[in-house]
Structures are given as structure tokens and as C-alpha cells.
């Protein structure tokens, strides 16, 4: 039966009745929560508050995961399982409570317990802090993959850093981004289980002692320097209704010496704890600013710290098996998520050669069979490098090992490519710059048996441009694994009303087999189903509208087009192109007040790196434009602009189901894949995007009529730059664009300050418009006109929305992880 919005509102805090819930413990979840409130928290549980109920539930849920996890750890040893180690400098899991309840089949019990206490689940989840463990797509992808690894039953471990403050909490003051500490651990966090026993000492600086052993073999011993202790903190990741629980082990930096009593007694109170402060800085903040030399040193310390501790953990487990070293790579595989963990390769070589006394060839053979590398980067300046001088100072033994890896590698290159004297310099692990640098991506390629891109286009660009030389040297190593997102969080959890509708028509199997959404195509022409689909979408839009009014004080029309661009701020992601179009619309409405226009709400969100001034200026521009448009009585009924501060996973879960138009407009050839595009399309949003990253593959799956691709393709970008791109020509010949840019270069949006955005204006014109904003402007504007025209035809638009969800089965992280299993890891599931 067809439903209206009000019929879906009651579903938002009600669990789906899914029959595959695992068996429950003997005691009820609510009883355990009350027990923990009294005995673990030491609080009165007679009339528990929201805060107490939250922590009680956390501990009760954690108990159930801990039992399953401990059983599996024993099972891994019994079965002699091959294990996967997934190394990522960041994870972005989002809040844990609802996702863990969902995975364990405990939603009904939680609702029942909370009803008895007079609370809803949403109220309790509001008590949870967003974990500050990541920033953007890299960390979110890692978390999606951990979810899929557990759901597929893999013996897998995630490894990263337990940051004390994450990246930062974003505030908007007078239109400007202001960074505040993200103190997500201010009350502790019971999801994390600290492991204070068995901490690993991690060395920095020092000197390398060389000596000959009794067999005349040259040996190395890294001595002295500073020691920092690595303490593990485990957070559990349950599979969906399968009894499987993995963990992400997050390393926390602890001081080797907590307190120097002699300094304290001598009156040097600061000096007595100086070492403690310095050591703990390593795990304090994600991506500390590297503008200063101290910041660069801290970043490299972070990377080495977490991989060194992880390699020790891997070797500890392997030694329990009492197997020869040549089976290390048969029983383990290590996936490097980007170049940040690449220093793990020389670290393992150091351990095998210096501590375990293996020969170089044997150790190197093990390494090359153990490590696999995922590249997420196309921008040349984003391919990580470290100066040789810093590496020699901070990690002297590792620099020696890198030199030796490079010497042997280049010998082979010269042997096999005798007629190409320039090739060794191009592929060398060490650059020939005036200040030589270690190229970490080259190290990862040479030291790994597999190198993969994350979309078809990205992998092709790696083959054709970025790593073209390496393709010729190691053709068998390169492969593609297109990214995916977990349907548990990004549909089942974040879009309850649509999940109910899908389960009503498809059953609940789509939650673990997203290919089943393909059957929605058969329903797209059913009037009643389209009506219900639209009501689900309107329900989600009203929730978002309520949030915007509460947080920003802006009233938006839920029947307007919700056009959303939320992602990390970077020039290549082209939030600037979006706001240029918004100003264009504003001018059009002012000049033609008699023309009826479909109301639109443009929503932005995302953080700019603290030292990335151009990105921060674009945030300021968006807010300045929003202030002008939202206060103009002539346009505010047709056009609203909203910037939502402190974009995170929880905010994404509110935005994704409510979006009509998803902005994926990066310069073609710059976005490796993207996963935001997948989340929005999965929930029925229509994409306006360039032929970049995974947009191309999404278009192939949902069908050309159901996606709005525009602008230059990757080859056209290259060709235009090669011919000599002059943005001034576009400025002179496009009067509409010229008016917009002149407004930016005046005080139209910043009264009394005409130079506020001169940096933006100059970057687009005098600066050469590196990311082709003006080159794609006209195609972008015309495509938006088509969107506005087609949105009015509600039947057409809803069909397009349904076809987007129906085409997204391929983009499940379950499929992506299965491809890693089959093509790279060869790890067998335990389920």
C-alpha cells in the first residue's frame, strides 16, 4: 500500500525485523547494561540518565564482541589460518553504537531496554563522540573495508594510530574556518580496550654500529637515540550477523620514561615531564602541519612508529607457530593503504637481517611476497617523499637499507634496459634533486608483489603516466580494484525508511548481497512504488531541513532541489566551480524576476587543511555568497546556500539520504576514485560529475540517461594544457562568467573589502587556472539547466533515482574486498 511521509517517520527509530540475528547471550542486553552502570562505571543504576544508558550499552555490547573475538583468535591458531594485516594511517569509522547493534542483531533488545528507561535510541546515540581517527575518503574507505572483511569472515587486523585529538573540529566564524581541538577522548572511550602490557619500544635517531660476525658477515646494530613505547588499543569490528569479530589495533605513543624525579627535585618541573610530552606528541594529532621542519619530523615519526609496532605484532604472532621464516609470507599478507605505511618494508628488512640474522636475499624475497600496495594518489606533489637528510637523522639504519634496496634494484634495471640510460634516474628510490629525497611510492612498488589503483580510470592513468616506467619493469604487479562502500552503514543504517521499502519488496538479503538491488529496475515503472520512493526521500529531506534550521538558523524548502557537495576542500575538487554557478543563478534570478525557477538549496561541507589558504579562502567565499543570497528578499524563496560546519560521518549519514543532486566535479584525471559518489547514488541521488574517478563506472552501471556527466575528459585536459590554455580567453568571451568573476573581485560579497577574494580571482586568470575551472564552467552551467528542467517531471526524476540505486550493486565494499581476496590476498574466510 502506498504511504505518505508521516507513515515513514515512525520507522526512523525502529529496527528492521531481520531473521538472521545470531543467538543471544543468556542475560538480556538491558540487564547487562544496568549491571555495568553499577559495577563498571560505579554509578547508581536505579534511574539511569541518557549518559549512563549509553555507557552501559557500550560495555554490554563490547562484552558480546569480546567473547566472539577471543574465540576467533584461538581458532586462527588452531586452523593455522593465513592472516591479513591492513595498515592505514587513518580510519574514519563513525559512531559505533548503532552499527554494532545492527551487526550483532541487538537493535530490538536495545530499543526495548531504552523504552523502559524512557529514551529513544537516537537520544542515546547523541551521547557518543565521533571518533577522531581519520579525515576523508582514505579513512572512510579503510573503515568500509574493515566492515566487509568482518562480514566476509576474514582473519584480518586493521592497524593505525589512536590519535588523541584527530584532525580538528571545524567552526565557522564570520565566514572563516577556525580550527579547534577535536577532544573526542575527553570522557575516555569504552569501545577501546587499552593493552598496557607488552608495549613495544620504538627507536628514533641513534647510530648504526657495524661489525663482522664469526663467519665474517657484516652485521648492523641500531643503538642509542630515543625510545618511545607503543601501546595497543583495540576496537572491535563485528561482521554482519555472522558471529565474526575482527579488531582495529590503534597504537598510542607512551613515554619510555614517565617522569624524571631528579629534575623535579632540582626544581625543573617542566623538564621532569618534557620527555613524556615529546613522546606522546607522536599520537596526538592526525596530519600535523608540515610547514615547519618539526612538523615534517613528527609526520615521519608517526608513520614509522605505527608500522614498527605493527611489524613487531605480526612477528610475535608468527613466532608462536614455530614455522621457518620462509613461511612468513605464506601465513601473512600486509596491505599498505597508500604510501604512509611504506616505511614498513625497510623496517621488516631491518628486523629480518639485523635481529633475526637472515641473509639479504632471503629477507628481501620474504618482503616482496608479503607486501601489497594500494595507490590513491594521482597528483605528483601528493606522492610522498622524505628528504634523505631527515631520514638519515631520524631512521639511520632504514636509510642504509633503502640505499641497498635501491642499488640492487637499479643494477637490475640497467641490466635489462641497457639502451635507456635515463630510466634508472626516473625509477630510482632516491631523487636526484639538489636536496635528494626518498620516493616512498617507488619504495612501495619495488617492495610489493601487487600494486593496485582504485578505479578503472585511475589505474589506467597509473599505467600511462604516473608509473609508466614501472609498468614496463613489473607488468605483472599492477591491477585495478575499484573502491566500494559498505551497504550496512551507507544504506541500511543511514536510510531507514528506504531500507524498509527495499526489504518490503526485495527481502533483507540485499544487506549482504547488494547485487539484489538490480531487481529495483523492475519496479521503476510501478506508480505505487515510485510514490513510496518519493515519500522516503521527502522524509529524509525534512529531517535534513530540520537540522539545517537548528544548526544554521536557515529555513530551507524540502521540496527544493537539494544539491550537495561535501568533501575535503581542495582546488581540484572544484567547490569553486560550484559556487561560481550559484552566483550565476543568483544573477539570473535578480535580472529575470518574472521567470519561474525550480527552488534550489545548495549545501556545502568539508574541511580545509589548516595551512591550505586557497581552500580556506574558498570556504570564506561560499559563506560570503550564502550570507548575501540568503538575506536577499528577491531571491531567497528560490535560492538558498548552506555551509554545514564540521563535516563528519554522522553528518554524512544525514546528508546522503536527503540529497537530490550529488556534486562530483573534480578536474578530470585528478580524482583517483571517490566513494562519496557511490554513497549518494546508492541512496538515489543523481550525480552531476566529470568523467573522473569512479564516476565513469557509475555511469556505465546506472545508465547514461541517469547521470549528468559534463566537461573535459582526462585526455582533453592534457591536450588543452599542451596546446596552451589561456583562461583570459574564456573570461573575455563569456559575459555571464565575466560578471561573476568581477563580482568576486569586488566588494559585492564583502562590503568595504574589495580584495578579500583577489587571490581566488588571480589564481583563475593570472595563475593559469590549473584545475580548469573556467574551461568547464559553461558545460557545467548548461548541465545544471538540464537538471532543473528534468527535476520538474517528478515521474521521470524518481525513475532516474530508482535506477541509480538499482545500478549500485557493483559498488559494495563486499565486492571490492572479495576482489582483493581473489586477486591479491588469497586469505580464506573462517565463516
Amino acid at each position: 500500500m502506498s504511504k505518505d511521509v508521516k507513515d515513514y517517520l515512525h520507522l526512523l527509530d525502529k529496527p528492521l525485523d531481520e531473521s538472521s540475528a545470531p543467538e543471544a547471550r543468556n542475560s538480556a542486553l538491558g540487564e547487562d547494561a544496568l549491571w555495568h552502570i553499577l559495577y563498571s562505571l560505579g554509578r547508581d543504576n536505579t534511574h539511569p540518565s541518557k549518559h549512563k544508558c549509553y555507557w552501559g550499552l557500550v560495555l554490554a555490547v563490547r562484552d558480546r564482541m569480546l567473547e566472539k573475538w577471543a574465540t576467533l583468535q584461538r581458532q586462527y591458531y588452531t586452523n593455522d589460518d593465513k592472516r591479513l594485516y591492513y595498515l592505514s594511517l587513518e580510519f574514519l569509522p563513525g559512531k559505533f553504537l548503532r552499527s554494532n547493534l545492527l551487526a550483532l542483531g541487538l537493535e530490538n533488545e536495545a530499543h526495548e531496554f531504552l523504552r523502559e528507561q524512557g529514551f529513544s535510541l537516537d537520544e542515546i546515540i547523541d551521547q557518543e563522540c565521533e571518533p577522531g581517527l581519520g579525515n576523508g575518503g582514505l579513512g572512510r574507505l579503510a573503515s568500509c573495508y574493515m566492515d566487509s572483511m568482518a562480514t566476509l569472515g576474514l582473519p584480518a587486523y586493521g592497524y593505525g594510530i589512536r590519535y588523541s585529538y584527530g584532525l580538528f573540529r571545524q567552526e565557522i566564524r564570520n565566514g572563516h574556518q577556525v580550527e579547534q581541538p577535536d577532544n573526542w577522548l575527553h570522557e575516555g572511550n569504552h569501545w577501546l580496550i587499552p593493552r598496557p602490557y607488552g608495549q613495544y619500544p620504538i627507536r628514533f635517531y641513534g647510530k648504526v654500529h657495524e661489525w663482522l660476525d664469526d663467519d665474517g658477515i657484516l652485521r648492523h646494530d641500531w643503538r642509542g637515540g630515543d625510545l618511545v613505547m607503543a601501546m595497543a588499543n583495540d576496537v572491535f569490528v563485528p561482521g554482519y550477523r555472522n558471529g565474526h569479530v575482527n579488531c582495529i589495533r590503534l597504537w598510542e605513543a607512551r613515554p619510555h620514561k614517565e617522569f624524571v624525579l631528579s629534575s623535579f627535585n632540582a626544581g625543573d618541573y617542566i623538564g621532569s615531564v618534557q620527555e613524556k610530552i615529546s613522546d606522546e606528541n607522536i599520537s596526538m594529532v592526525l596530519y600535523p602541519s608540515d610547514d615547519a621542519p618539526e612538523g615534517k619530523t613528527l609526520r615521519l615519526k608517526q608513520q614509522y612508529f605505527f608500522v614498527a609496532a605493527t611489524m613487531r605484532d605480526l612477528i610475535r604472532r608468527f613466532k608462536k607457530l614455530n614455522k621457518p621464516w620462509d613461511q612468513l609470507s605464506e601465513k601473512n599478507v600486509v596491505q599498505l593503504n597508500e604510501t604512509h605505511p611504506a616505511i614498513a618494508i625497510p623496517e621488516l628488512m631491518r628486523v629480518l637481517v639485523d635481529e633475526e640474522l637472515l641473509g639479504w636475499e632471503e629477507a628481501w624475497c620474504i618482503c616482496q611476497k608479503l607486501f601489497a600496495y594500494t595507490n590513491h594518489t594521482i597528483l605528483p606533489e601528493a606522492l610522498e617523499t622524505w628528504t634523505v637528510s631527515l631520514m638519515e637523522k631520524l631512521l639511520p639504519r632504514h636509510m642504509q637499507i633503502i640505499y641497498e634496496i635501491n642499488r640492487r634494484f637499479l643494477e637490475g634495471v640497467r641490466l635489462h634496459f641497457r639502451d635507456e640510460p635515463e630510466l634508472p634516474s626516473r625509477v630510482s628510490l632516491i631523487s636526484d634533486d639538489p636536496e635528494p629525497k626518498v620516493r616512498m611510492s617507488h619504495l612501495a612498488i619495488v617492495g610489493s608483489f601487487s600494486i593496485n589503483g582504485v578505479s578503472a580510470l585511475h589505474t589506467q592513468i597509473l599505467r600511462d603516466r604516473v608509473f609508466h616506467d614501472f609498468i614496463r619493469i613489473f607488468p605483472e604487479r599492477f591491477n585495478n580494484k575499484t573502491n566500494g562502500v559498505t551497504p550496512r552503514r551507507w544504506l541500511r543504517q543511514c536510510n531507514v525508511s528506504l531500507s524498509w521499502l527495499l526489504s518490503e519488496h526485495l527481502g533483507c538479503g540485499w544487506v549482504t548481497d547488494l547485487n539484489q538491488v538490480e531487481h529495483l529496475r523492475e519496479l521503476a515503472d510501478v506508480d505505487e512504488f515510485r510514490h513510496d520512493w518519493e515519500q522516503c526521500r521527502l522524509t529524509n529531506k525534512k529531517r535534513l531541513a530540520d537540522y539545517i534550521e537548528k544548526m544554521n538558523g536557515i529555513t530551507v524548502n524540502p521540496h527544493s532541489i537539494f544539491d550537495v557537495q561535501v568533501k575535503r576542500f581542495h582546488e581540484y575538487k572544484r567547490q569553486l566551480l560550484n559556487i561560481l554557478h550559484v552566483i550565476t543563478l543568483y544573477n539570473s534570478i535578480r535580472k529575470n524576476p518574472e521567470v519561474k525557477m525550480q527552488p534550489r538549496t545548495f549545501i556545502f561541507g568539508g574541511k580545509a587543511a589548516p595551512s591550505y589558504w586557497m581552500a580556506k579562502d574558498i570556504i570564506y567565499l561560499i559563506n560570503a555568497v550564502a550570507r548575501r543570497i540568503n538575506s536577499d528578499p528577491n531571491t531567497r524563496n528560490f535560492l538558498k546556500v548552506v555551509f554545514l560546519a564540521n563535516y563528519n560521518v554522522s553528518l554524512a549519514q544525514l546528508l546522503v539520504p536527503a540529497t537530490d543532486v550529488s556534486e562530483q566535479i573534480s578536474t578530470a584525471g585528478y580524482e583517483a576514485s571517490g566513494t562519496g559518489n557511490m554513497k549518494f547514488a546508492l541512496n538515489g541521488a543523481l550525480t552531476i560529475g566529470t568523467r573522473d574517478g569512479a564516476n565513469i563506472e557509475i555511469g556505465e552501471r546506472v545508465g547514461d540517461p541517469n547521470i549528468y556527466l559534463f566537461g573535459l575528459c582526462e585526455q582533453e585536459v592534457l591536450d588543452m594544457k599542451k596546446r596552451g590554455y589561456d583562461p583570459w580567453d574564456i573570461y573575455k568571451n563569456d559575459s555571464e562568467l565575466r560578471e561573476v568573476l568581477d563580482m568576486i573581485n569586488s566588494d559585492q560579497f564583502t562590503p568595504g573589502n574589495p580584495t578579500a577574494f583577489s587571490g581566488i580571482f588571480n589564481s583563475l586568470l593570472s595563475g593559469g587556472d590549473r584545475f580548469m575551472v573556467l574551461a568547464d564552467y559553461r558545460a557545467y552551467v548548461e548541465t545544471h539547466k538540464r537538471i532543473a528542467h528534468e527535476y520538474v517531471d517528478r515521474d521521470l526524476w524518481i525513475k532516474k533515482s530508482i535506477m541509480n540505486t538499482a545500478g549500485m550493486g557493483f559498488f559494495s565494499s563486499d565486492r571490492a574486498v572479495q576482489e582483493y581476496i581473489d586477486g591479491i590476498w588469497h586469505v580464506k574466510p573462517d565463516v
Side-chain angles (χ1 to χ4, degrees):
M1 179 179 293
S2 188
K3 301 178 178 67
D4 290 319
V5 173
K6 63 180 183 297
D7 298 309
Y8 284 101
L9 289 173
H10 77 285
L11 302 178
L12 298 178
D13 194 40
K14 181 179 178 181
L16 278 176
D17 183 15
E18 294 163 300
S19 59
S20 57
E23 70 282 355
R25 281 160 53 101
N26 292 332
S27 56
L29 183 70
E31 293 175 8
D32 287 355
L34 291 172
W35 187 94
H36 275 296
I37 291 170
L38 181 61
Y39 293 103
S40 297
L41 303 178
R43 308 286 297 276
D44 181 12
N45 65 3
T46 306
H47 299 291
S49 63
K50 294 178 199 174
H51 192 260
K52 292 178 188 176
C53 284
Y54 167 70
W55 285 120
L57 273 176
V58 167
L59 291 166
V61 172
R62 195 185 75 176
D63 285 349
R64 286 153 172 78
M65 293 192 292
L66 182 55
E67 290 174 355
K68 298 175 188 298
W69 175 83
T71 300
L72 278 169
Q73 298 310 300
R74 294 189 293 269
Q75 187 176 314
Y76 293 163
Y77 286 107
T78 301
N79 296 347
D80 196 17
D81 288 322
K82 183 178 183 179
R83 307 182 196 213
L84 164 65
Y85 290 74
Y86 192 87
L87 276 58
S88 182
L89 194 61
E90 55 174 294
F91 292 88
L92 200 61
K95 294 183 178 181
F96 294 111
L97 181 56
R98 193 187 291 274
S99 61
N100 289 342
L101 290 171
L102 172 65
L104 296 171
L106 295 172
E107 276 188 301
N108 285 315
E109 280 195 72
H111 278 274
E112 182 179 343
F113 164 63
L114 293 172
R115 271 197 301 268
E116 292 171 357
Q117 309 306 321
F119 304 124
S120 71
L121 183 56
D122 281 346
E123 288 178 293
I124 300 305
I125 287 172
D126 284 343
Q127 305 301 305
E128 185 169 0
C129 287
E130 192 92 10
L133 300 170
N135 174 30
L138 185 73
R140 187 51 241 169
L141 179 75
S143 295
C144 282
Y145 281 3
M146 291 305 302
D147 174 89
S148 288
M149 290 173 205
T151 296
L152 294 174
L154 297 189
Y157 306 87
Y159 277 92
I161 295 178
R162 195 231 65 178
Y163 301 102
S164 298
Y165 290 96
L167 188 67
F168 59 84
R169 177 171 54 83
Q170 181 193 56
E171 294 181 1
I172 301 297
R173 297 182 189 170
N174 299 318
H176 294 278
Q177 171 179 291
V178 177
E179 301 91 24
Q180 296 291 343
D182 178 18
N183 190 9
W184 71 284
L185 292 171
H186 66 282
E187 291 185 338
N189 193 296
H190 290 301
W191 292 117
L192 294 171
I193 297 183
R195 312 284 191 183
Y197 49 84
Q199 299 181 38
Y200 297 126
I202 308 300
R203 189 181 308 276
F204 297 100
Y205 304 107
K207 296 186 181 299
V208 179
H209 173 62
E210 296 183 350
W211 51 283
L212 294 176
D213 67 10
D214 294 340
D215 297 321
I217 299 174
L218 181 65
R219 298 295 184 188
H220 299 80
D221 185 15
W222 184 21
R223 300 176 179 175
D226 298 339
L227 289 178
V228 179
M229 305 306 294
M231 186 180 85
N233 293 263
D234 291 348
V235 59
F236 296 124
V237 182
Y240 186 79
R241 311 290 171 94
N242 63 356
H244 192 97
V245 176
N246 288 332
C247 84
I248 302 174
R249 177 154 287 185
L250 302 167
W251 298 108
E252 175 187 355
R254 303 294 301 162
H256 184 244
K257 294 179 181 178
E258 287 274 352
F259 181 68
V260 182
L261 183 60
S262 58
S263 297
F264 186 85
N265 287 336
D268 185 6
Y269 304 129
I270 295 176
S272 68
V273 293
Q274 191 65 48
E275 184 175 331
K276 171 182 169 67
I277 295 169
S278 176
D279 291 347
E280 290 180 350
N281 279 342
I282 292 174
S283 58
M284 194 67 68
V285 176
L286 169 66
Y287 298 141
S289 175
D290 59 358
D291 284 351
E294 294 81 3
K296 289 183 171 63
T297 300
L298 182 54
R299 281 204 181 192
L300 181 54
K301 274 188 172 183
Q302 285 185 332
Q303 295 180 13
Y304 176 67
F305 167 78
F306 104 86
V307 301
T310 301
M311 291 299 100
R312 290 196 173 276
D313 228 25
L314 184 155
I315 290 171
R316 172 185 63 81
R317 291 195 186 99
F318 178 72
K319 284 185 172 181
K320 288 184 179 181
L321 303 176
N322 295 313
K323 293 182 181 293
W325 282 108
D326 61 5
Q327 291 195 32
L328 181 67
S329 55
E330 294 180 19
K331 292 301 174 185
N332 302 278
V333 60
V334 177
Q335 186 71 45
L336 308 175
N337 192 32
E338 253 301 358
T339 55
H340 308 126
I343 195 68
I345 295 170
E347 168 62 9
L348 184 59
M349 285 296 292
R350 184 192 69 79
V351 173
L352 295 179
V353 173
D354 294 357
E355 296 183 6
E356 303 299 337
L357 305 182
L358 272 65
W360 181 277
E361 289 79 7
E362 182 183 5
W364 185 239
C365 182
I366 291 169
C367 280
Q368 284 192 307
K369 292 179 180 179
L370 180 72
F371 290 102
Y373 162 51
T374 299
N375 173 276
H376 295 272
T377 303
I378 292 173
L379 286 168
E381 65 267 28
L383 291 171
E384 197 168 44
T385 61
W386 297 109
T387 61
V388 168
S389 59
L390 174 59
M391 189 78 75
E392 287 177 332
K393 180 182 177 183
L394 190 65
L395 302 171
R397 179 58 180 141
H398 297 76
M399 194 62 244
Q400 290 180 343
I401 291 170
I402 291 169
Y403 275 131
E404 183 62 13
I405 292 171
N406 197 43
R407 183 187 69 79
R408 292 171 180 248
F409 166 59
L410 294 183
E411 277 185 2
V413 172
R414 293 188 184 99
L415 180 65
H416 290 93
F417 298 88
R418 297 177 186 274
D419 298 332
E420 299 186 52
E422 302 292 327
L423 182 60
S425 174
R426 295 200 303 268
V427 299
S428 173
L429 275 59
I430 315 294
S431 73
D432 55 7
D433 299 325
E435 184 175 25
K437 297 181 178 67
V438 180
R439 297 160 165 164
M440 301 306 287
S441 59
H442 291 199
L443 174 62
I445 291 170
V446 173
S448 300
F449 69 88
S450 170
I451 301 98
N452 72 277
V454 291
S455 73
L457 175 63
H458 172 231
T459 301
Q460 194 59 49
I461 291 172
L462 295 183
R463 291 177 181 276
D464 294 344
R465 294 207 324 259
V466 183
F467 297 134
H468 172 68
D469 291 324
F470 284 102
I471 292 287
R472 297 163 59 217
I473 300 169
F474 305 119
E476 74 288 351
R477 296 188 186 183
F478 285 80
N479 58 92
N480 178 59
K481 300 288 178 285
T482 297
N483 285 343
V485 300
T486 170
R488 268 77 62 185
R489 183 175 288 270
W490 294 111
L491 184 51
R492 169 61 182 87
Q493 183 181 332
C494 77
N495 198 340
V496 177
S497 57
L498 187 58
S499 295
W500 271 79
L501 185 62
L502 295 185
S503 297
E504 182 181 355
H505 290 270
L506 306 178
C508 296
W510 61 268
V511 181
T512 52
D513 179 12
L514 194 59
N515 287 321
Q516 293 186 22
V517 298
E518 175 74 23
H519 298 298
L520 292 173
R521 296 183 190 277
E522 303 158 16
L523 298 167
D525 290 319
V526 178
D527 291 344
E528 185 177 317
F529 183 77
R530 286 200 309 275
H531 175 271
D532 290 348
W533 187 278
E534 185 165 22
Q535 293 307 303
C536 289
R537 296 197 55 74
L538 188 54
T539 298
N540 294 323
K541 292 176 74 173
K542 287 187 174 182
R543 291 180 71 212
L544 177 57
D546 290 344
Y547 177 88
I548 291 171
E549 184 149 26
K550 176 183 176 183
M551 301 304 295
N552 290 58
I554 300 171
T555 301
V556 300
N557 176 5
H559 295 279
S560 66
I561 300 175
F562 278 16
D563 185 301
V564 176
Q565 187 176 20
V566 284
K567 53 184 74 239
R568 176 172 60 92
F569 267 74
H570 194 288
E571 287 167 275
Y572 86 81
K573 293 180 183 288
R574 301 203 296 190
Q575 289 92 345
L576 182 54
L577 177 60
N578 191 343
I579 198 63
L580 293 184
H581 169 246
V582 171
I583 300 171
T584 303
L585 281 177
Y586 176 59
N587 290 339
S588 177
I589 297 169
R590 288 190 303 156
K591 292 175 183 177
N592 305 284
E594 73 286 350
V595 176
K596 276 198 162 186
M597 187 191 104
Q598 171 63 40
R600 298 193 189 192
T601 301
F602 288 89
I603 301 170
F604 295 84
K607 298 177 181 179
S611 58
Y612 193 173
W613 294 106
M614 181 59 71
K616 294 173 81 169
D617 279 350
I618 293 170
I619 290 176
Y620 181 39
L621 173 62
I622 291 168
N623 283 293
V625 172
R627 184 168 56 245
R628 169 75 175 269
I629 290 176
N630 297 341
S631 62
D632 189 330
N634 297 313
T635 60
R636 62 188 178 194
N637 291 332
F638 300 99
L639 191 61
K640 291 289 177 69
V641 182
V642 179
F643 188 98
L644 295 175
N646 203 41
Y647 179 61
N648 56 25
V649 175
S650 296
L651 184 50
Q653 290 177 208
L654 184 62
L655 280 161
V656 164
T659 296
D660 294 309
V661 177
S662 163
E663 298 273 353
Q664 309 297 331
I665 57 176
S666 55
T667 311
Y670 283 85
E671 187 73 81
S673 171
T675 52
N677 47 8
M678 302 172 189
K679 295 162 195 165
F680 284 106
L682 178 60
N683 284 268
L686 275 64
T687 301
I688 178 171
T690 49
R691 293 167 179 83
D692 197 26
N695 291 351
I696 298 170
E697 292 166 83
I698 291 174
E700 293 169 353
R701 302 281 172 168
V702 305
D704 287 343
N706 305 308
I707 189 170
Y708 298 95
L709 296 179
F710 74 93
L712 302 171
C713 69
E714 182 252 347
Q715 189 58 50
E716 288 170 334
V717 169
L718 294 176
D719 291 344
M720 182 173 281
K721 288 185 175 182
K722 190 174 181 180
R723 290 195 306 267
Y725 167 55
D726 186 357
W728 282 104
D729 288 341
I730 300 174
Y731 172 83
K732 294 171 185 174
N733 294 318
D734 191 325
S735 59
E736 199 170 43
L737 172 62
R738 186 168 61 251
E739 179 184 16
V740 170
L741 292 177
D742 288 346
M743 289 173 71
I744 289 174
N745 200 36
S746 69
D747 66 351
Q748 288 274 334
F749 302 110
T750 52
N753 185 5
T755 62
F757 304 118
S758 58
I760 293 175
F761 181 86
N762 291 332
S763 74
L764 291 175
L765 293 168
S766 304
D769 187 19
R770 178 186 175 191
F771 297 104
M772 316 297 280
V773 173
L774 305 191
D776 274 342
Y777 167 84
R778 180 48 54 191
Y780 181 62
V781 169
E782 295 304 316
T783 304
H784 263 292
K785 290 179 181 177
R786 182 177 151 217
I787 288 173
H789 174 74
E790 294 185 352
Y791 185 84
V792 176
D793 186 340
R794 299 309 298 151
D795 276 346
L796 174 65
W797 188 268
I798 294 303
K799 282 182 184 179
K800 287 173 175 282
S801 175
I802 294 169
M803 297 301 279
N804 267 265
T805 300
M808 293 304 292
F810 175 80
F811 298 98
S812 168
S813 53
D814 297 344
R815 182 274 313 158
V817 167
Q818 189 63 54
E819 288 186 4
Y820 278 92
I821 295 170
D822 296 339
I824 300 175
W825 301 336
H826 305 295
V827 176
K828 295 180 180 178
D830 268 313
V831 175

